[in-house]
Amino acid sequence: MIRAALGLDPWDVFHQGLSRLTGLSIGVVSIVVGAAVLLLWWPIRQRPGLGTVSNVFVVGLAMDGTCRLVPHVEALAVRVPLLVAGVALNGLATGLYITARFGPGPRDGLMTGLHRRTGRSVRLVRTGIEVTVLAAGFALGGGVGVGTVLYALAIGPLAQFFLRVFAEPEGAPGPSVVKDANRDGATDATSDGEVNSDTNSGADAGSTPDVMPASAVIRRDAPERAAVDPI
């Protein structure tokens, strides 16, 4: 999307504006902004995960690496496919990132945290954040254009499509914590398989099931299930 030069998503408009202002690469700016946003998690009591920390560094490094590999182009016939590919790959990445369930990115967590703390809808909070960073990025010289509009319209349906593609099939076995009767019930064994996305929060209180879904053991309130943010 950067090489297409037809407009970026709101956060990258902000990153690009800061990059032009500071002289730092857009990837480095993305890392710095991600770390700064992560500090805002403390007052809203958000908990980071492996995916959160990875998001801060991997996305910025990948942006700089891709910009080094993909050359500047002038022909519109090349820039349009670059833009479409960038938006599509963001949708693909969103599906992979959320179904992995290792924690939301800093910007995603800021949105869900503010949603919980303020009681406002996720849609309202997300819109407020993205309009703010888009306006700030535009004021700093970030690229706003048809790509910005395309991204805003396409990322939701693309994310939903890829979430369905990568979702675990219903009835598929997931990892479970199973009581080992042969070891006097003192140890638990975890079965192999993919992570089951069902939180099974409706388990009866006061009962101890022999098989407990790993999602219930690892984390019941995974915030990444409530948000979509490829950045």
Side-chain angles (χ1 to χ4, degrees), residues 13-197:
V13 171
F14 182 60
H15 297 150
Q16 190 177 60
L18 285 177
S19 174
R20 291 176 175 175
L21 179 67
T22 62
L24 299 173
S25 70
I26 189 171
V28 171
V29 169
S30 174
I31 293 173
V32 173
V33 170
V37 171
L38 193 56
L39 293 176
L40 298 177
W41 282 30
W42 182 264
I44 58 177
R45 299 180 181 179
Q46 282 286 93
R47 293 179 297 174
L50 175 62
T52 308
V53 179
S54 300
N55 184 288
V56 172
F57 295 99
V58 173
V59 172
L61 294 174
M63 289 172 70
D64 280 350
T66 303
C67 284
R68 289 190 179 95
L69 291 174
V70 180
H72 290 278
V73 290
E74 297 294 337
L76 191 61
V78 178
R79 291 161 58 199
V80 170
L82 283 176
L83 172 63
V84 173
V87 174
L89 288 172
N90 266 278
L92 172 66
T94 301
L96 290 170
Y97 149 72
I98 292 179
T99 52
R101 300 184 62 203
F102 278 108
R107 301 154 186 84
D108 230 6
L110 176 65
M111 176 188 67
T112 56
L114 288 174
H115 159 66
R116 286 201 301 268
R117 296 290 287 180
T118 64
R120 303 294 183 180
S121 68
V122 170
R123 178 181 299 178
L124 178 62
V125 172
R126 184 181 184 113
T127 300
I129 292 174
E130 298 212 352
V131 167
T132 300
V133 296
L134 179 61
F138 179 73
L140 292 170
V144 177
V146 65
T148 309
V149 178
L150 176 63
Y151 184 92
L153 295 176
I155 193 61
L158 284 172
Q160 184 175 6
F161 170 76
F162 285 112
L163 281 169
R164 289 174 178 171
V165 169
F166 297 119
E168 181 181 351
E170 291 186 13
S176 57
V177 179
V178 184
K179 286 188 176 180
D180 189 349
N182 296 327
R183 298 185 184 179
D184 300 323
T187 59
D188 292 339
T190 303
S191 63
D192 295 331
E194 298 181 14
V195 174
N196 191 337
S197 62

Side-chain angles (χ1 to χ4, degrees), residues 1-17:
M1 290 181 68
I2 293 169
R3 287 294 183 250
L6 293 171
L8 301 172
D9 62 272
W11 276 103
D12 280 339
V13 171
F14 182 60
H15 297 150
Q16 190 177 60

